[in-house]
Amino acid sequence: MNNFFMKNQSHKFFLPTWLVALLLTVTVHAQQSEEPAGFDLPEAGVKSVMPAVQVEMEMNEYRMLSWPFDVSRVFLADDSLLKLEPVTPSKLRLRALKSGKTRMNVWSKDGVTQSYEVLIHAPLAELEKVLIEEFSDQDVSVRQLAGSVMLSGNVKEAAVRANIESVASEFFPRVINNLKLIRKPQTEPRPVKLQASIFEISHYDLEKHSLKWPLEKSKVGQMNHQVLRAQGEVAGFLQAAYDKNLIRKIAAPEIETIEGRRVSFETGGQMPLVVAAGSSQGRIRLQQWGVRMQLLPTRLTNGKLRLGVQPRINQIDVTKSARLDALTLPGIRTHQHDLLMDLAEGESLMLYGMPMERVIREKEDLPILSDLPFLGRSFYKTNLIDDKVELFIIIAPAQTPGDKVASTP
C-alpha cells in the first residue's frame, strides 16, 4: 500500500512494519526537499478542499475519525493539545490532552484536503470548583453550550468580571461572558458643615505670660499647615492662649455646603494702594485685603473627609509703604496655597505663620511725677517694642443633623 501517516512534530506511534518502512522511505525523500516534512503537498497536487469541520472534545476523551480515502499526510498545528494515533490507512484516533483550540489538515494521495478545527475543553465541574474557591463572594453560574461555556450572574467590579473570564478561558477555548456589573444606586449628596476660625497671636503677649511657642519657627512670607488634633501639645497651647485672652479674633465664618460642591468665603475689605506709573508719578487703586478661601469637601469610603483648600491671604504691610504726593499708603503682602488634606473625626486643618512685624507703643510711668495727684497721668514715657504677630486659620468639620461629616457612608 502507498499510504503513509506523518506529523509536523515528532511523536511515538505503534505502527505496522509495512508502514514504518514506508515512513523511512518518505523521510529520506523529504530531507532532500527544501520544504520541511509534513508540509509537502501530494504529488497529484491539491484537487479539492472540503469545508472545515469543527470537532469538540473534552479533556482525556477519545474520538475516531475516518475518511472514504486513504490518508497520505496529516498536519497538526499544536501537538500539546491533541495526540494522533493511526488505526488503519483511512482511520485516525484522537485523544484530547488539555483545553485549547488547534487545527488539523488531512490529505489524500489524490490531493483531496479535509480541514478540522478541534476545540478541547475541561470538565465543567472543574471550572465550577475553581470559581467557588476563588470567587465565593460573587454571584456566578456557568453553563456549557456545546464546546463553549457561558458565564452569568452579577459581580461588583469590572476587574472581577475580567478575572472570572480569564479563569474560564483556561478551561474552555470559547467563553461567553454574560456577567453583569452591579450598579451602585445614586444617592443625594449629604450636607457638610465647616467652622472656620481666623485669629492672631502676638509673640510679645506669649512672652509676658510665659507661654512657649510649640510650632516650628515661621518666616516672613511663609504659610505653614498641619493637621490639628483635639489632644496634643498644639491644642493645649491654643487652649491656654484662649484662657489668658491672648487670641485676637478676626472672624469665625460658618460654611455650609454639600459634598463634592466647591464653596468659598471671604473676610476683610478694600484699601487704597499706590500703583507706580513712572519714576515719579503713580496712581491709586483699591486692593482687597483679608482672607479669601475656596473649599471642596469630599467624603471617602474609609470614613475621612478629604478637604481641598485654596487660601489667598492679603496682609497689610507697612514695610511696603508707598508715597504719592503728601499721602503715604501701606502695601499688601499676598500668600497663596493649594492643599489637599484627609481629616478623620476630631481632626481639623490648621494654617499658620505668615508673621507680620509690628511696633508696640507701651506707656511707662515716671518715678514720683506719675504719682502726683491730678497731674500724674501727664508724666510718662513711651517704649517702642518690636513684636511679631502670627496669623492662624483653622477649618474644622462640624456635625450635621443626624450625621457626622467624617463618618463612613
Side-chain angles (χ1 to χ4, degrees):
M1 298 178 65
N2 295 325
N3 303 97
F4 63 91
F5 170 83
M6 196 167 190
K7 290 183 58 178
N8 65 315
Q9 299 187 31
S10 61
H11 279 276
K12 294 181 179 180
F13 298 98
F14 296 97
L15 301 177
T17 305
W18 59 268
L19 189 54
V20 173
L22 188 56
L23 282 173
L24 291 175
T25 303
V26 174
T27 302
V28 173
H29 176 73
Q31 291 176 349
Q32 297 174 354
S33 174
E34 295 181 357
E35 296 294 333
F39 288 89
D40 294 336
L41 295 176
E43 295 180 0
V46 178
K47 293 184 178 180
S48 63
V49 179
M50 298 182 182
V53 178
Q54 190 173 92
V55 178
E56 298 175 354
M57 301 178 65
E58 189 174 292
M59 284 174 52
N60 299 320
E61 179 186 351
Y62 288 88
R63 182 75 58 86
M64 187 75 70
L65 296 182
S66 61
W67 299 270
F69 53 81
D70 291 343
V71 176
S72 63
R73 186 172 297 271
V74 175
F75 167 76
L76 180 60
D78 189 348
D79 62 351
S80 66
L81 304 181
L82 197 63
K83 183 178 180 181
L84 306 180
E85 299 176 356
V87 179
T88 68
S90 60
K91 288 185 179 181
L92 197 63
R93 183 165 59 184
L94 315 182
R95 180 188 174 189
L97 300 179
K98 63 179 183 180
S99 61
K101 182 172 69 173
T102 186
R103 182 171 59 89
M104 184 180 74
N105 291 343
V106 176
W107 286 275
S108 73
K109 66 178 181 178
D110 296 330
V112 177
T113 305
Q114 176 67 68
S115 296
Y116 294 88
E117 183 184 34
V118 184
L119 305 176
I120 304 173
H121 63 82
L124 185 64
E126 293 187 10
L127 173 59
E128 291 176 332
K129 180 181 178 182
V130 172
L131 293 180
I132 291 174
E133 292 175 352
E134 300 297 330
F135 304 96
S136 58
D137 59 335
Q138 305 293 329
D139 175 24
V140 182
S141 61
V142 294
R143 180 183 177 187
Q144 184 173 340
L145 300 174
S148 306
V149 64
M150 184 173 69
L151 306 174
S152 58
N154 301 298
V155 294
K156 300 176 182 178
E157 299 177 4
V160 175
R161 184 177 185 269
N163 289 339
I164 294 176
E165 181 178 353
S166 178
V167 170
S169 64
E170 295 295 324
F171 292 81
F172 284 80
R174 291 190 304 193
V175 178
I176 304 172
N177 193 342
N178 198 29
L179 294 172
K180 298 179 180 178
L181 292 176
I182 300 176
R183 302 286 182 182
K184 293 184 179 180
Q186 293 185 352
T187 57
E188 291 292 331
R190 289 178 293 174
V192 175
K193 186 176 181 181
L194 302 170
Q195 176 66 59
S197 299
I198 307 172
F199 56 89
E200 291 180 338
I201 295 181
S202 164
H203 280 268
Y204 176 69
D205 291 340
L206 295 178
E207 185 177 349
K208 284 175 49 177
H209 291 81
S210 301
L211 280 182
K212 184 180 179 181
W213 179 256
L215 301 165
E216 60 182 72
K217 187 177 180 180
S218 57
K219 300 179 181 179
V220 175
Q222 179 180 355
M223 181 190 301
N224 302 314
H225 70 277
Q226 72 174 54
V227 173
L228 177 64
R229 295 174 176 82
Q231 303 294 329
E233 182 182 8
V234 178
F237 162 78
L238 293 176
Q239 185 62 50
Y242 177 81
D243 294 339
K244 296 179 182 294
N245 294 321
L246 305 183
I247 291 180
R248 190 176 77 86
K249 182 179 177 181
I250 298 176
E254 291 185 356
I255 305 103
E256 293 188 8
T257 182
I258 57 176
E259 54 183 348
R261 179 181 179 272
R262 193 180 300 275
V263 67
S264 64
F265 71 88
E266 185 175 322
T267 63
Q270 291 184 327
M271 59 170 286
L273 184 69
V274 176
V275 181
S279 58
S280 61
Q281 296 181 351
R283 58 185 178 86
I284 296 178
R285 67 176 175 84
L286 294 178
Q287 172 69 35
Q288 187 75 29
W289 65 271
V291 176
R292 178 178 176 83
M293 186 174 294
Q294 291 189 348
L295 303 167
L296 178 61
T298 306
R299 282 189 176 88
L300 304 179
T301 56
N302 61 3
K304 293 186 177 183
L305 179 72
R306 175 162 292 172
L307 197 60
V309 184
Q310 292 179 321
R312 180 184 174 90
I313 301 169
N314 292 331
Q315 293 176 303
I316 299 176
D317 189 355
V318 295
T319 64
K320 295 185 176 182
S321 299
R323 187 176 182 83
L324 182 63
D325 297 330
L327 182 65
T328 300
L329 297 174
I332 292 290
R333 178 181 296 164
T334 300
H335 308 269
Q336 285 184 272
H337 221 327
D338 194 342
L339 302 173
L340 187 65
M341 303 291 291
D342 292 347
L343 303 177
E345 187 173 354
E347 295 181 341
S348 304
L349 171 62
M350 182 176 72
L351 306 175
Y352 69 95
M354 302 158 284
M356 298 295 297
E357 303 291 341
R358 294 180 184 175
V359 177
I360 299 176
R361 297 177 179 269
E362 191 176 70
K363 292 182 179 180
E364 183 180 351
D365 293 339
L366 296 176
I368 301 175
L369 295 177
S370 297
D371 295 331
L372 294 175
F374 302 108
L375 300 177
R377 294 183 179 179
S378 301
F379 297 97
Y380 64 87
K381 69 176 181 178
T382 302
N383 296 325
L384 300 180
I385 302 172
D386 293 331
D387 186 20
K388 185 169 72 171
V389 179
E390 305 275 356
L391 178 65
F392 283 80
I393 303 175
I394 296 178
I395 308 296
Q399 291 186 0
T400 54
D403 191 18
K404 293 181 179 180
V405 168
S407 62
T408 304

